[in-house]
Amino acid sequence: MHTLLTLILLAVISSGTTRCIGGELSSSKFYDESCPKALSTIRSSITRAVSRERRMAASLIRLHFHDCFVHGCDASILLNDSDSIESEQNALQNKDSVRGFNVIEDAKSAVEKICPGVVSCADILAIAARDATVAVSGPSWDVKLGRRDSTTASKSRAEKDLPLFTATLDNLISLFEKKGLNARDMVALSGSHTIGQAQCGLFRSRIYDTKSDIDANFARTRQRRCPAVSSPKADAMLAALDLVTPNSFDANYFKNLIQKKGLLESDQVLFSGGSTDAIVTEYSKSPKTFRADFASAMIKMGDIQPLTGSAGQIRRICSIVN
């Protein structure tokens, strides 16, 4: 039996697709010897990017999330189209909305200059999400490291595994559970919508639907920046997800939901008479609890099926395979 198990493990490792799930990553000290200035270099790069554009913090958190939910945290979302790759960036949930690729490439370039071929793009994504959160007064956490980069991507898997803005509560809970995240993790991670913006095309139906469970005054306010008639220009117009404090990481997002001021359908379903109402209420009353739970959920999300050991590669440029 022992010999058979060994042969099976060797076969899996030699296939080059080894994925270690949760707990297989190393500590935040993974690069202490191989690239001791890696984390400080990344932090400086991310902090500069967020200082130039506050919205970038939300984009970098989302980029890490959209990476981890598709085949794990392996930087597959960063890969461009090629003869062998259909980029995840073209998936419905990503197209013309995910951003921050240039920020990650800049951070990668800075790290490559001090220690080439050592730090993965996947780890940079995870570190960037943490550093971006801190840059907008959000919580910090120790990022476990040791991820390696995928050599493939999957547009079809992205469209299957990433939530839509029209997702129901049951659908959201199910998608997160498949990734090892519970309903509380899901609500905490949704709290990242306390910063960032959404395109008019994603919330038009909600603010113009007279049967929608939305605060009437809030809807009218949003209609000023989102015309009723669709057009490429109108669809791309932006509105803050949190009208009150759009550039600060706080618990106002949850207060908004209780007041029926969730901008996206997938936001408001978290407080709509369902099983997550109590969590939303708790976070609205205790920002400290929300911050702690958000940090814990980000750590759990970062554990989703990382490539480790000899699997994958360390990409020199994040958008293409070596």
Side-chain angles (χ1 to χ4, degrees):
M1 177 64 79
H2 178 75
T3 302
L4 178 60
L5 180 59
T6 300
L7 289 173
I8 292 172
L9 288 172
L10 287 172
V12 171
I13 292 171
S14 65
S15 71
T17 58
T18 307
R19 288 184 179 272
C20 298
I21 302 175
E24 298 292 340
L25 292 171
S26 183
S27 73
S28 58
K29 300 182 182 299
F30 184 79
Y31 295 112
D32 279 9
E33 292 186 11
S34 59
C35 190
K37 293 184 179 179
L39 270 64
S40 61
T41 300
I42 295 168
R43 182 172 60 250
S44 295
S45 188
I46 300 306
T47 302
R48 281 195 303 271
V50 175
S51 68
R52 288 193 300 265
E53 183 192 6
R54 196 81 168 172
R55 178 190 172 203
M56 186 53 68
S59 298
L60 293 173
I61 295 169
R62 184 169 182 249
L63 198 56
H64 180 42
F65 164 55
H66 280 225
D67 176 43
C68 290
F69 261 54
V70 185
H71 287 309
C73 308
D74 59 3
S76 58
I77 195 171
L78 302 180
L79 289 171
N80 291 336
D81 275 327
S82 70
D83 291 340
S84 60
I85 292 173
E86 190 172 16
S87 178
E88 292 168 16
Q89 297 166 31
N90 296 322
L92 178 63
Q93 296 92 321
N94 290 329
K95 191 170 178 61
D96 300 323
S97 66
V98 285
R99 56 197 296 274
F101 302 104
N102 59 319
V103 175
I104 299 300
E105 287 288 10
D106 287 348
K108 172 65 171 175
S109 177
V111 173
E112 284 292 298
K113 289 177 181 177
I114 59 173
C115 41
V118 175
V119 183
S120 70
C121 299
D123 273 347
I124 291 175
L125 274 173
I127 296 165
R130 188 270 311 277
D131 291 347
T133 301
V134 172
V136 289
S137 304
S140 184
W141 59 90
D142 288 336
V143 179
K144 289 190 284 185
L145 301 169
R147 300 169 189 80
R148 288 169 64 85
D149 299 326
S150 172
T151 56
T152 60
S154 176
K155 176 191 171 190
S156 61
R157 190 62 180 264
E159 292 182 337
K160 177 182 178 183
D161 288 357
L162 291 171
L164 290 162
F165 68 94
T166 54
T168 65
L169 180 59
D170 286 346
N171 181 228
L172 288 172
I173 291 174
S174 176
L175 285 174
F176 277 73
E177 282 183 344
K178 288 176 181 177
K179 304 300 177 182
L181 300 167
N182 59 35
R184 193 174 184 89
D185 297 324
M186 184 267 290
V187 176
L189 291 171
S190 297
S192 64
H193 283 187
T194 187
I195 53 175
Q197 302 180 43
Q199 295 178 336
C200 169
L202 300 181
F203 59 84
R204 175 183 289 111
S205 60
R206 175 162 163 75
I207 63 174
Y208 283 100
D209 183 358
T210 56
K211 297 180 181 178
S212 175
D213 62 337
I214 189 170
D215 177 84
N217 289 329
F218 176 72
R220 283 192 290 271
T221 299
R222 287 312 191 203
Q223 289 169 8
R224 295 172 192 164
R225 291 278 301 163
C226 184
V229 179
S230 175
S231 71
K233 181 179 180 181
D235 290 353
M237 293 182 74
L238 297 169
L241 289 159
D242 175 9
L243 186 62
V244 183
T245 53
N247 294 316
S248 296
F249 194 100
D250 54 34
N252 274 330
Y253 168 80
F254 301 105
K255 296 178 181 178
N256 294 339
L257 298 185
I258 293 172
Q259 297 169 6
K260 301 299 181 183
K261 295 179 180 179
L263 187 59
L264 303 178
E265 292 176 47
S266 54
D267 287 323
Q268 195 58 61
V269 295
L270 302 182
F271 191 86
S272 55
S275 59
T276 55
D277 282 14
I279 304 171
V280 170
T281 300
E282 181 183 359
Y283 289 162
S284 73
K285 295 178 179 178
S286 178
K288 183 178 179 180
T289 301
F290 161 54
R291 291 169 66 89
D293 284 1
F294 180 82
S296 295
M298 287 295 286
I299 293 171
K300 285 179 68 175
M301 187 180 76
D303 280 346
I304 299 175
Q305 292 183 287
L307 292 169
T308 59
S310 60
Q313 62 180 215
I314 305 296
R315 288 188 223 135
R316 291 186 293 272
I317 299 171
C318 291
S319 58
I320 58 175
V321 175
N322 293 344

